[in-house]
Amino acid sequence: MSENGSKTPVDFWFDPLCPWAWMTSRWMLEVEKVRDVEVRWHVMSLAVLNEDKLDELPEQYAENMRPGGKSWGPVRVAIAARELHGEEVLGKLYTALGTRIHNRGQGVTDESIAGALADVGLPADLIEYARKDTYDAELRASHKEGIDKVGQDVGTPVIAVPGADGEQIAFFGPVVTPAPKGEAAAKLWDGTLLVASTPGFYEIKRTRTAGPDFA
């Protein structure tokens, strides 16, 4: 909890397409249950992040990132929902999208996006923005806000947490599977705050040997 007694804000940038961001976001929802924190959701885009290096990516992945590819639809719908219905809808919409895309294995389709909108009571016609660039400037601004905090050589998720002297420190990750629950979630959160408060701390990493566990 912050010094004024309010909940500690945690800023979280996500792309609904990313299964690892999905894992981290489920951990943060667990943290909200066991610590006095409040997640503030923001949209970032893997397509925007990778648009200048598509030739370096595996072809199937790059195809999703290109204009008109699958990666554009969910983030465009999410940013349109934010612009038209307020930031407070982002968390619920992300949960609905991620549940359908990842947990239920529906992938990124018009049906999964439309179903997510219905799940949270948002207007069905928001899906029209999946193929429109109406709010691409706002999408890019939201993406830039997150990536500027952490640097260009990372992906999603990006989280920004209180560091030393209350200054926000941003990280890529933590990357974890499955998402810790209960006291395990609290311990990982406490550790995140610990490294964030350590001057000069940048990175801990090891090779992933397991895929996302959506159980």
Side-chain angles (χ1 to χ4, degrees), residues 80-154:
R82 188 197 76 175
E83 291 300 304
L84 296 172
H85 300 280
E87 291 187 353
E88 63 274 9
V89 306
L90 273 181
K92 291 181 179 179
L93 179 56
Y94 179 32
T95 288
L97 286 166
T99 298
R100 288 179 173 272
I101 292 170
H102 302 297
N103 290 54
R104 299 182 188 174
Q106 295 178 2
V108 178
T109 64
D110 286 351
E111 291 75 17
S112 62
I113 296 173
L117 291 170
D119 290 341
V120 296
L122 285 169
D125 61 5
L126 279 172
I127 197 172
E128 296 175 7
Y129 291 96
R131 294 179 178 86
K132 293 181 178 181
D133 62 2
T134 309
Y135 295 111
D136 278 10
E138 289 80 3
L139 172 61
R140 289 177 179 277
S142 180
H143 173 89
K144 185 177 186 298
E145 182 186 10
I147 213 70
D148 280 354
K149 291 179 179 292
V150 75
Q152 293 290 332
D153 57 342
V154 301

Side-chain angles (χ1 to χ4, degrees), residues 18-90:
C18 179
W20 295 106
W22 178 243
M23 291 285 90
T24 308
S25 71
R26 299 310 92 182
W27 162 65
M28 278 308 315
L29 290 184
E30 284 292 314
V31 174
E32 282 191 321
K33 299 175 184 177
V34 293
R35 292 291 186 267
D36 288 318
V37 305
E38 181 178 12
V39 182
R40 302 186 297 201
W41 303 97
H42 309 273
V43 185
M44 66 179 295
S45 169
L46 290 171
V48 173
L49 182 69
N50 290 297
E51 63 184 349
D52 294 330
K53 47 190 174 186
L54 292 176
D55 292 342
E56 305 170 16
L57 302 175
E59 180 54 32
Q60 184 175 0
Y61 188 76
E63 191 64 27
N64 289 334
M65 302 293 135
R66 292 191 174 98
K70 287 184 177 181
S71 67
W72 285 95
V75 291
R76 280 175 164 170
V77 170
I79 207 72
R82 188 197 76 175
E83 291 300 304
L84 296 172
H85 300 280
E87 291 187 353
E88 63 274 9
V89 306
L90 273 181

Side-chain angles (χ1 to χ4, degrees), residues 3-24:
E3 292 182 0
N4 62 11
S6 61
K7 291 186 176 182
T8 300
V10 182
D11 289 291
F12 191 110
W13 280 264
F14 67 89
D15 184 324
L17 189 69
C18 179
W20 295 106
W22 178 243
M23 291 285 90
T24 308

